[in-house]
Amino acid sequence: MKALLKYGGLALLLGATACVDVEDQPSRVQDFRVLGVATEPPELMASACEITTQTLDELSEEVTYRTLLVDPKGEGRPIQYTLWACADTEDRRCENTANRVLLSEGSTVAGELAVNVRPGASTLAEDVPLLQRVQELDPYRGLGGLRMPLVLRVQAGDEVVYAQKLMVFWCPAVEGMQVNVQPRIPGLRVDDVAWPEDAPLELRGPGPFVVTSEDVTALQETYVVPGLRLEAVTLRESWEMSWHTTLGEFAPQETGGSTFGGQEGRHRTEWEPPSGAEAQEVTFWVVVRDGRGGSSWVVRRALWSP
């Protein structure tokens, strides 16, 4: 069975021989998944909006494509991957061969996969720039920036996952526009104790354990985008974090964001291990997204006992 999921801003298409259990929670990682996708930098911006050799070179610069692959029961099995640059944001699996360009392919294992690619330099048949086709298919003709889908296909055994990441290409259409800075989680705490990155934290008891992020308020950028009349519109980021674990579950599973009234949510959640579980090492992943293409993640471990 295949299921299309949109969770935490990441579009995923899962395909496997078994159906997804309705009791499964996004925070509980039991099977093969793509938990996060990012590009470094998160977007490319030309120095001017005129089409020149310089601006085309700027939009063709190399970026590092990163993805977080988790496979708790895979025991280190090989994972085959293929990465395409595509033209149509609605083509989740990038199946239209006339509108896609192969960026990278190979074999890896669970963990972080990083490949250096030049999506902005991609060309279709007859040397048509892929960015040109992206603009042709965009109903706004690039007013809000050109968003090129980068589609990853990964397969481990008979499990297949597709993940779509929109790579943003800009030019300074209005005064004040700046390149997006990648969001980074400054640190995590469990029951107000700092959670180290390089060693597992010892946790005892049935929980729930309160997990929080260090304050990110000062890191959330104020930025400028063009409005429908090409006026400068000032916005502010409101980061969202998704929480994942190999044991138990988080509630809530996503934190942050803003209400329609502009009130920002706290990055506070609770992790609760299942009753009857044995003592074990647990892995945790937290993925942060800034709402405009930037994303990163952190990994933590804990030695938990009942």
Side-chain angles (χ1 to χ4, degrees):
M1 172 174 281
K2 295 180 180 179
L4 181 64
L5 306 178
K6 292 197 72 175
Y7 179 67
L10 181 66
L12 303 176
L13 184 67
L14 311 179
T17 56
C19 296
V20 177
D21 192 330
V22 296
E23 297 298 325
D24 279 352
Q25 299 293 325
S27 70
R28 187 189 311 136
V29 180
Q30 303 180 82
D31 50 10
F32 178 50
R33 289 196 203 176
V34 175
L35 286 188
V37 176
T39 55
E40 298 276 1
E43 62 185 28
L44 290 176
M45 182 180 293
S47 57
C49 289
E50 293 75 20
I51 299 177
T52 65
T53 300
Q54 178 180 342
T55 56
L56 291 175
D57 287 345
E58 291 167 345
L59 296 178
S60 300
E61 290 181 357
E62 183 177 82
V63 301
T64 301
Y65 176 94
R66 301 183 187 277
T67 186
L68 178 59
L69 305 173
V70 296
D71 192 18
K73 300 178 182 177
E75 299 181 345
R77 63 181 171 173
I79 298 172
Q80 306 303 318
Y81 73 89
T82 307
L83 177 63
W84 291 288
C86 313
D88 187 357
T89 59
E90 298 301 317
D91 187 359
R92 301 291 189 186
R93 291 188 292 183
C94 202
E95 293 181 308
N96 187 341
T97 57
N99 280 342
R100 75 183 188 189
V101 175
L102 179 66
L103 296 179
S104 182
E105 61 182 343
S107 180
T108 186
V109 294
E112 182 178 297
L113 169 67
V115 293
N116 295 326
V117 294
R118 295 182 181 271
S122 301
T123 57
L124 301 170
E126 299 180 356
D127 292 329
V128 174
L130 181 59
L131 273 174
Q132 176 182 321
R133 186 63 53 81
V134 172
Q135 184 173 22
E136 292 170 353
L137 295 175
D138 182 0
Y140 300 102
R141 292 296 189 265
L143 176 62
L146 293 176
R147 287 164 168 77
M148 178 188 291
L150 304 182
V151 176
L152 177 73
R153 181 190 188 274
V154 285
Q155 181 168 358
D158 59 2
E159 298 175 87
V160 178
V161 178
Y162 288 82
Q164 183 196 76
K165 171 75 170 70
L166 300 182
M167 178 72 192
V168 183
F169 297 81
W170 285 100
C171 73
V174 295
E175 186 176 355
M177 292 180 63
Q178 299 290 333
V179 175
N180 187 10
V181 175
Q182 198 80 281
R184 307 283 185 191
I185 297 174
L188 300 176
R189 304 182 73 85
V190 180
D191 290 340
D192 209 28
V193 174
W195 198 344
E197 180 179 359
D198 56 354
L201 187 66
E202 290 192 12
L203 300 177
R204 297 180 182 275
F209 300 90
V210 176
V211 187
T212 57
S213 166
E214 300 287 2
D215 188 19
V216 301
T217 303
L219 301 176
Q220 296 178 146
E221 294 182 272
T222 297
Y223 60 102
V224 174
V225 296
L228 292 176
R229 296 178 177 84
L230 288 182
E231 77 280 16
V233 177
T234 301
L235 303 172
R236 181 171 172 78
E237 295 175 347
S238 183
W239 294 3
E240 295 184 348
M241 296 183 191
S242 57
W243 303 77
H244 310 270
T245 176
T246 53
L247 181 72
E249 60 185 62
F250 280 104
Q253 300 173 60
E254 286 192 329
T255 60
S258 297
T259 66
F260 285 110
Q263 183 176 358
E264 293 187 1
R266 295 188 300 165
H267 293 294
R268 178 192 184 280
T269 185
E270 295 184 357
W271 174 69
E272 186 171 3
S275 60
E278 298 180 350
Q280 59 190 276
E281 182 171 295
V282 186
T283 302
F284 300 83
W285 301 270
V286 188
V287 182
V288 60
R289 299 177 178 89
D290 63 13
R292 59 189 188 114
S295 179
S296 67
W297 46 81
V298 296
V299 183
R300 293 292 190 271
R301 294 175 295 146
L303 296 175
W304 172 78
S305 58

